[in-house]
Every structure is written in structure tokens, then in C-alpha cells.
mmCIF file of all heavy atoms in Angstrom:
data_model
loop_
_atom_site.group_PDB
_atom_site.id
_atom_site.type_symbol
_atom_site.label_atom_id
_atom_site.label_comp_id
_atom_site.label_asym_id
_atom_site.label_seq_id
_atom_site.Cartn_x
_atom_site.Cartn_y
_atom_site.Cartn_z
ATOM 1 N N GLU A 1 -28.517 -60.660 -31.919
ATOM 2 C CA GLU A 1 -29.459 -59.669 -31.404
ATOM 3 C C GLU A 1 -30.696 -60.347 -30.819
ATOM 4 O O GLU A 1 -31.194 -59.956 -29.772
ATOM 5 C CB GLU A 1 -29.856 -58.726 -32.535
ATOM 6 C CG GLU A 1 -30.423 -57.417 -32.103
ATOM 7 C CD GLU A 1 -30.600 -56.496 -33.298
ATOM 8 O OE1 GLU A 1 -31.290 -56.889 -34.246
ATOM 9 O OE2 GLU A 1 -30.052 -55.392 -33.268
ATOM 10 N N GLY A 2 -31.188 -61.359 -31.487
ATOM 11 C CA GLY A 2 -32.374 -62.077 -31.024
ATOM 12 C C GLY A 2 -32.148 -62.778 -29.701
ATOM 13 O O GLY A 2 -32.997 -62.733 -28.814
ATOM 14 N N THR A 3 -31.001 -63.413 -29.551
ATOM 15 C CA THR A 3 -30.684 -64.108 -28.309
ATOM 16 C C THR A 3 -30.585 -63.131 -27.150
ATOM 17 O O THR A 3 -31.115 -63.383 -26.071
ATOM 18 C CB THR A 3 -29.352 -64.878 -28.454
ATOM 19 O OG1 THR A 3 -29.443 -65.751 -29.571
ATOM 20 C CG2 THR A 3 -29.041 -65.675 -27.216
ATOM 21 N N SER A 4 -29.950 -62.024 -27.383
ATOM 22 C CA SER A 4 -29.815 -61.000 -26.353
ATOM 23 C C SER A 4 -31.173 -60.423 -25.970
ATOM 24 O O SER A 4 -31.489 -60.279 -24.793
ATOM 25 C CB SER A 4 -28.891 -59.890 -26.854
ATOM 26 O OG SER A 4 -28.810 -58.849 -25.922
ATOM 27 N N LEU A 5 -31.972 -60.107 -26.978
ATOM 28 C CA LEU A 5 -33.296 -59.547 -26.717
ATOM 29 C C LEU A 5 -34.210 -60.533 -26.020
ATOM 30 O O LEU A 5 -34.984 -60.149 -25.136
ATOM 31 C CB LEU A 5 -33.947 -59.086 -28.019
ATOM 32 C CG LEU A 5 -33.467 -57.760 -28.560
ATOM 33 C CD1 LEU A 5 -34.104 -57.484 -29.910
ATOM 34 C CD2 LEU A 5 -33.768 -56.641 -27.601
ATOM 35 N N LEU A 6 -34.144 -61.793 -26.399
ATOM 36 C CA LEU A 6 -34.971 -62.812 -25.746
ATOM 37 C C LEU A 6 -34.701 -62.844 -24.246
ATOM 38 O O LEU A 6 -35.628 -62.902 -23.442
ATOM 39 C CB LEU A 6 -34.710 -64.192 -26.342
ATOM 40 C CG LEU A 6 -35.490 -64.538 -27.587
ATOM 41 C CD1 LEU A 6 -35.001 -65.855 -28.171
ATOM 42 C CD2 LEU A 6 -36.963 -64.615 -27.308
ATOM 43 N N GLY A 7 -33.443 -62.800 -23.875
ATOM 44 C CA GLY A 7 -33.082 -62.800 -22.458
ATOM 45 C C GLY A 7 -33.585 -61.567 -21.744
ATOM 46 O O GLY A 7 -34.151 -61.649 -20.647
ATOM 47 N N ASP A 8 -33.394 -60.413 -22.368
ATOM 48 C CA ASP A 8 -33.848 -59.157 -21.769
ATOM 49 C C ASP A 8 -35.364 -59.110 -21.651
ATOM 50 O O ASP A 8 -35.903 -58.720 -20.614
ATOM 51 C CB ASP A 8 -33.366 -57.963 -22.591
ATOM 52 C CG ASP A 8 -31.859 -57.792 -22.559
ATOM 53 O OD1 ASP A 8 -31.202 -58.386 -21.678
ATOM 54 O OD2 ASP A 8 -31.338 -57.072 -23.437
ATOM 55 N N PHE A 9 -36.046 -59.500 -22.715
ATOM 56 C CA PHE A 9 -37.512 -59.481 -22.705
ATOM 57 C C PHE A 9 -38.061 -60.466 -21.680
ATOM 58 O O PHE A 9 -39.018 -60.170 -20.979
ATOM 59 C CB PHE A 9 -38.065 -59.813 -24.085
ATOM 60 C CG PHE A 9 -38.032 -58.673 -25.066
ATOM 61 C CD1 PHE A 9 -37.313 -57.524 -24.830
ATOM 62 C CD2 PHE A 9 -38.734 -58.756 -26.244
ATOM 63 C CE1 PHE A 9 -37.286 -56.482 -25.737
ATOM 64 C CE2 PHE A 9 -38.732 -57.720 -27.171
ATOM 65 C CZ PHE A 9 -37.998 -56.579 -26.915
ATOM 66 N N GLU A 10 -37.448 -61.652 -21.579
ATOM 67 C CA GLU A 10 -37.930 -62.641 -20.623
ATOM 68 C C GLU A 10 -37.746 -62.156 -19.187
ATOM 69 O O GLU A 10 -38.622 -62.320 -18.343
ATOM 70 C CB GLU A 10 -37.204 -63.966 -20.823
ATOM 71 C CG GLU A 10 -37.722 -65.056 -19.917
ATOM 72 C CD GLU A 10 -37.104 -66.414 -20.183
ATOM 73 O OE1 GLU A 10 -36.415 -66.575 -21.205
ATOM 74 O OE2 GLU A 10 -37.325 -67.308 -19.359
ATOM 75 N N GLU A 11 -36.608 -61.543 -18.922
ATOM 76 C CA GLU A 11 -36.345 -61.011 -17.585
ATOM 77 C C GLU A 11 -37.375 -59.944 -17.209
ATOM 78 O O GLU A 11 -37.935 -59.963 -16.105
ATOM 79 C CB GLU A 11 -34.934 -60.427 -17.547
ATOM 80 C CG GLU A 11 -34.509 -59.901 -16.212
ATOM 81 C CD GLU A 11 -33.098 -59.339 -16.235
ATOM 82 O OE1 GLU A 11 -32.303 -59.718 -17.114
ATOM 83 O OE2 GLU A 11 -32.800 -58.513 -15.360
ATOM 84 N N GLU A 12 -37.634 -59.041 -18.126
ATOM 85 C CA GLU A 12 -38.609 -57.981 -17.866
ATOM 86 C C GLU A 12 -40.027 -58.553 -17.764
ATOM 87 O O GLU A 12 -40.827 -58.115 -16.942
ATOM 88 C CB GLU A 12 -38.548 -56.920 -18.961
ATOM 89 C CG GLU A 12 -39.431 -55.733 -18.713
ATOM 90 C CD GLU A 12 -39.055 -54.902 -17.493
ATOM 91 O OE1 GLU A 12 -37.882 -54.918 -17.084
ATOM 92 O OE2 GLU A 12 -39.954 -54.234 -16.941
ATOM 93 N N TYR A 13 -40.337 -59.564 -18.578
ATOM 94 C CA TYR A 13 -41.644 -60.216 -18.514
ATOM 95 C C TYR A 13 -41.868 -60.808 -17.124
ATOM 96 O O TYR A 13 -42.921 -60.611 -16.514
ATOM 97 C CB TYR A 13 -41.739 -61.319 -19.572
ATOM 98 C CG TYR A 13 -42.987 -62.158 -19.437
ATOM 99 C CD1 TYR A 13 -44.168 -61.768 -20.054
ATOM 100 C CD2 TYR A 13 -42.993 -63.317 -18.672
ATOM 101 C CE1 TYR A 13 -45.320 -62.522 -19.916
ATOM 102 C CE2 TYR A 13 -44.134 -64.071 -18.530
ATOM 103 C CZ TYR A 13 -45.299 -63.673 -19.144
ATOM 104 O OH TYR A 13 -46.439 -64.413 -18.993
ATOM 105 N N ARG A 14 -40.890 -61.533 -16.617
ATOM 106 C CA ARG A 14 -41.018 -62.146 -15.290
ATOM 107 C C ARG A 14 -41.204 -61.092 -14.204
ATOM 108 O O ARG A 14 -42.033 -61.257 -13.306
ATOM 109 C CB ARG A 14 -39.802 -63.009 -14.981
ATOM 110 C CG ARG A 14 -39.765 -64.276 -15.777
ATOM 111 C CD ARG A 14 -38.473 -65.035 -15.531
ATOM 112 N NE ARG A 14 -38.352 -66.118 -16.465
ATOM 113 C CZ ARG A 14 -38.434 -67.395 -16.117
ATOM 114 N NH1 ARG A 14 -38.626 -67.722 -14.864
ATOM 115 N NH2 ARG A 14 -38.325 -68.330 -17.030
ATOM 116 N N LYS A 15 -40.452 -60.018 -14.293
ATOM 117 C CA LYS A 15 -40.570 -58.938 -13.312
ATOM 118 C C LYS A 15 -41.978 -58.351 -13.338
ATOM 119 O O LYS A 15 -42.604 -58.171 -12.288
ATOM 120 C CB LYS A 15 -39.537 -57.855 -13.618
ATOM 121 C CG LYS A 15 -39.581 -56.670 -12.712
ATOM 122 C CD LYS A 15 -38.530 -55.651 -13.128
ATOM 123 C CE LYS A 15 -38.878 -54.303 -12.562
ATOM 124 N NZ LYS A 15 -38.211 -53.224 -13.264
ATOM 125 N N ARG A 16 -42.477 -58.073 -14.539
ATOM 126 C CA ARG A 16 -43.825 -57.504 -14.664
ATOM 127 C C ARG A 16 -44.903 -58.489 -14.227
ATOM 128 O O ARG A 16 -45.894 -58.087 -13.620
ATOM 129 C CB ARG A 16 -44.072 -57.048 -16.095
ATOM 130 C CG ARG A 16 -43.292 -55.812 -16.452
ATOM 131 C CD ARG A 16 -43.459 -55.427 -17.909
ATOM 132 N NE ARG A 16 -42.689 -54.274 -18.239
ATOM 133 C CZ ARG A 16 -43.154 -53.022 -18.191
ATOM 134 N NH1 ARG A 16 -44.377 -52.781 -17.838
ATOM 135 N NH2 ARG A 16 -42.365 -52.006 -18.498
ATOM 136 N N ALA A 17 -44.729 -59.772 -14.523
ATOM 137 C CA ALA A 17 -45.708 -60.780 -14.127
ATOM 138 C C ALA A 17 -45.772 -60.904 -12.602
ATOM 139 O O ALA A 17 -46.847 -61.079 -12.038
ATOM 140 C CB ALA A 17 -45.369 -62.124 -14.747
ATOM 141 N N GLU A 18 -44.631 -60.811 -11.942
ATOM 142 C CA GLU A 18 -44.604 -60.889 -10.484
ATOM 143 C C GLU A 18 -45.223 -59.642 -9.839
ATOM 144 O O GLU A 18 -45.901 -59.745 -8.830
ATOM 145 C CB GLU A 18 -43.173 -61.071 -9.985
ATOM 146 C CG GLU A 18 -42.607 -62.437 -10.272
ATOM 147 C CD GLU A 18 -41.134 -62.555 -9.928
ATOM 148 O OE1 GLU A 18 -40.513 -61.535 -9.552
ATOM 149 O OE2 GLU A 18 -40.598 -63.668 -10.051
ATOM 150 N N GLU A 19 -44.959 -58.469 -10.433
ATOM 151 C CA GLU A 19 -45.448 -57.222 -9.857
ATOM 152 C C GLU A 19 -46.927 -56.979 -10.129
ATOM 153 O O GLU A 19 -47.618 -56.417 -9.288
ATOM 154 C CB GLU A 19 -44.635 -56.041 -10.385
ATOM 155 C CG GLU A 19 -43.217 -56.016 -9.877
ATOM 156 C CD GLU A 19 -42.389 -54.908 -10.493
ATOM 157 O OE1 GLU A 19 -42.893 -54.196 -11.388
ATOM 158 O OE2 GLU A 19 -41.223 -54.764 -10.081
ATOM 159 N N SER A 20 -47.400 -57.358 -11.306
ATOM 160 C CA SER A 20 -48.800 -57.083 -11.631
ATOM 161 C C SER A 20 -49.527 -58.369 -11.998
ATOM 162 O O SER A 20 -49.998 -59.071 -11.122
ATOM 163 C CB SER A 20 -48.893 -56.040 -12.747
ATOM 164 O OG SER A 20 -48.162 -56.455 -13.881
ATOM 165 N N SER A 21 -49.603 -58.683 -13.273
ATOM 166 C CA SER A 21 -50.281 -59.915 -13.698
ATOM 167 C C SER A 21 -49.622 -60.461 -14.952
ATOM 168 O O SER A 21 -48.926 -59.740 -15.676
ATOM 169 C CB SER A 21 -51.756 -59.639 -13.969
ATOM 170 O OG SER A 21 -51.904 -58.886 -15.156
ATOM 171 N N CYS A 22 -49.894 -61.718 -15.211
ATOM 172 C CA CYS A 22 -49.345 -62.357 -16.406
ATOM 173 C C CYS A 22 -49.942 -61.739 -17.671
ATOM 174 O O CYS A 22 -49.255 -61.625 -18.683
ATOM 175 C CB CYS A 22 -49.592 -63.852 -16.375
ATOM 176 S SG CYS A 22 -48.584 -64.707 -15.151
ATOM 177 N N LEU A 23 -51.201 -61.345 -17.606
ATOM 178 C CA LEU A 23 -51.837 -60.721 -18.764
ATOM 179 C C LEU A 23 -51.153 -59.408 -19.110
ATOM 180 O O LEU A 23 -50.827 -59.161 -20.271
ATOM 181 C CB LEU A 23 -53.326 -60.489 -18.505
ATOM 182 C CG LEU A 23 -54.072 -59.756 -19.617
ATOM 183 C CD1 LEU A 23 -54.013 -60.534 -20.923
ATOM 184 C CD2 LEU A 23 -55.506 -59.489 -19.213
ATOM 185 N N GLN A 24 -50.914 -58.568 -18.125
ATOM 186 C CA GLN A 24 -50.233 -57.299 -18.389
ATOM 187 C C GLN A 24 -48.813 -57.527 -18.888
ATOM 188 O O GLN A 24 -48.341 -56.821 -19.775
ATOM 189 C CB GLN A 24 -50.223 -56.425 -17.139
ATOM 190 C CG GLN A 24 -51.567 -55.838 -16.817
ATOM 191 C CD GLN A 24 -51.534 -54.972 -15.579
ATOM 192 O OE1 GLN A 24 -50.626 -55.081 -14.744
ATOM 193 N NE2 GLN A 24 -52.515 -54.106 -15.451
ATOM 194 N N ALA A 25 -48.143 -58.527 -18.338
ATOM 195 C CA ALA A 25 -46.787 -58.845 -18.787
ATOM 196 C C ALA A 25 -46.804 -59.335 -20.232
ATOM 197 O O ALA A 25 -45.938 -58.961 -21.030
ATOM 198 C CB ALA A 25 -46.165 -59.890 -17.865
ATOM 199 N N ALA A 26 -47.787 -60.166 -20.578
ATOM 200 C CA ALA A 26 -47.888 -60.668 -21.953
ATOM 201 C C ALA A 26 -48.193 -59.536 -22.927
ATOM 202 O O ALA A 26 -47.620 -59.488 -24.027
ATOM 203 C CB ALA A 26 -48.958 -61.749 -22.043
ATOM 204 N N LEU A 27 -49.073 -58.632 -22.534
ATOM 205 C CA LEU A 27 -49.369 -57.476 -23.394
ATOM 206 C C LEU A 27 -48.129 -56.621 -23.593
ATOM 207 O O LEU A 27 -47.854 -56.154 -24.704
ATOM 208 C CB LEU A 27 -50.511 -56.647 -22.799
ATOM 209 C CG LEU A 27 -51.879 -57.308 -22.820
ATOM 210 C CD1 LEU A 27 -52.880 -56.456 -22.042
ATOM 211 C CD2 LEU A 27 -52.351 -57.546 -24.236
ATOM 212 N N TRP A 28 -47.377 -56.416 -22.531
ATOM 213 C CA TRP A 28 -46.124 -55.654 -22.642
ATOM 214 C C TRP A 28 -45.173 -56.364 -23.602
ATOM 215 O O TRP A 28 -44.555 -55.726 -24.451
ATOM 216 C CB TRP A 28 -45.463 -55.501 -21.269
ATOM 217 C CG TRP A 28 -44.114 -54.879 -21.375
ATOM 218 C CD1 TRP A 28 -43.823 -53.554 -21.393
ATOM 219 C CD2 TRP A 28 -42.865 -55.559 -21.536
ATOM 220 N NE1 TRP A 28 -42.477 -53.368 -21.550
ATOM 221 C CE2 TRP A 28 -41.864 -54.587 -21.644
ATOM 222 C CE3 TRP A 28 -42.508 -56.895 -21.598
ATOM 223 C CZ2 TRP A 28 -40.524 -54.908 -21.803
ATOM 224 C CZ3 TRP A 28 -41.171 -57.218 -21.760
ATOM 225 C CH2 TRP A 28 -40.196 -56.224 -21.853
ATOM 226 N N TYR A 29 -45.054 -57.670 -23.472
ATOM 227 C CA TYR A 29 -44.149 -58.470 -24.301
ATOM 228 C C TYR A 29 -44.514 -58.328 -25.776
ATOM 229 O O TYR A 29 -43.649 -58.067 -26.624
ATOM 230 C CB TYR A 29 -44.237 -59.931 -23.860
ATOM 231 C CG TYR A 29 -43.091 -60.803 -24.301
ATOM 232 C CD1 TYR A 29 -41.966 -60.947 -23.507
ATOM 233 C CD2 TYR A 29 -43.147 -61.514 -25.493
ATOM 234 C CE1 TYR A 29 -40.924 -61.772 -23.886
ATOM 235 C CE2 TYR A 29 -42.107 -62.337 -25.885
ATOM 236 C CZ TYR A 29 -40.999 -62.461 -25.080
ATOM 237 O OH TYR A 29 -39.963 -63.273 -25.463
ATOM 238 N N TRP A 30 -45.801 -58.502 -26.078
ATOM 239 C CA TRP A 30 -46.264 -58.356 -27.461
ATOM 240 C C TRP A 30 -46.034 -56.936 -27.972
ATOM 241 O O TRP A 30 -45.660 -56.740 -29.132
ATOM 242 C CB TRP A 30 -47.737 -58.730 -27.580
ATOM 243 C CG TRP A 30 -47.939 -60.200 -27.735
ATOM 244 C CD1 TRP A 30 -48.405 -61.062 -26.790
ATOM 245 C CD2 TRP A 30 -47.653 -60.982 -28.896
ATOM 246 N NE1 TRP A 30 -48.427 -62.335 -27.301
ATOM 247 C CE2 TRP A 30 -47.982 -62.318 -28.591
ATOM 248 C CE3 TRP A 30 -47.157 -60.689 -30.160
ATOM 249 C CZ2 TRP A 30 -47.835 -63.350 -29.509
ATOM 250 C CZ3 TRP A 30 -47.018 -61.722 -31.074
ATOM 251 C CH2 TRP A 30 -47.346 -63.034 -30.740
ATOM 252 N N TRP A 31 -46.273 -55.955 -27.132
ATOM 253 C CA TRP A 31 -46.076 -54.557 -27.526
ATOM 254 C C TRP A 31 -44.611 -54.325 -27.907
ATOM 255 O O TRP A 31 -44.314 -53.688 -28.921
ATOM 256 C CB TRP A 31 -46.493 -53.616 -26.403
ATOM 257 C CG TRP A 31 -46.223 -52.186 -26.707
ATOM 258 C CD1 TRP A 31 -45.225 -51.413 -26.191
ATOM 259 C CD2 TRP A 31 -46.936 -51.333 -27.614
ATOM 260 N NE1 TRP A 31 -45.275 -50.151 -26.714
ATOM 261 C CE2 TRP A 31 -46.318 -50.074 -27.589
ATOM 262 C CE3 TRP A 31 -48.031 -51.528 -28.439
ATOM 263 C CZ2 TRP A 31 -46.773 -49.025 -28.374
ATOM 264 C CZ3 TRP A 31 -48.473 -50.461 -29.195
ATOM 265 C CH2 TRP A 31 -47.849 -49.243 -29.157
ATOM 266 N N GLN A 32 -43.687 -54.808 -27.105
ATOM 267 C CA GLN A 32 -42.265 -54.631 -27.384
ATOM 268 C C GLN A 32 -41.855 -55.287 -28.696
ATOM 269 O O GLN A 32 -41.071 -54.724 -29.458
ATOM 270 C CB GLN A 32 -41.423 -55.189 -26.224
ATOM 271 C CG GLN A 32 -41.571 -54.419 -24.945
ATOM 272 C CD GLN A 32 -41.248 -52.949 -25.110
ATOM 273 O OE1 GLN A 32 -40.222 -52.570 -25.664
ATOM 274 N NE2 GLN A 32 -42.141 -52.108 -24.630
#
């Protein structure tokens, strides 16, 4: 489960970082 989630979270983090900012992506990551 952890390996799968890490991949999914990283993919979404990169998408959010590209669209908005790294700070918002990091906050989203921590929230999840």
C-alpha cells in the first residue's frame, strides 16, 4: 500500500507543483 501510495502522491505532487507552486504542492502532500 505504501509503495503504491508513494507513486500516486508523488505524481500528484509534481502535477500540483507545475500548475501552482511547490509550497502549495507540499501542503497538499502533508494534508493527504
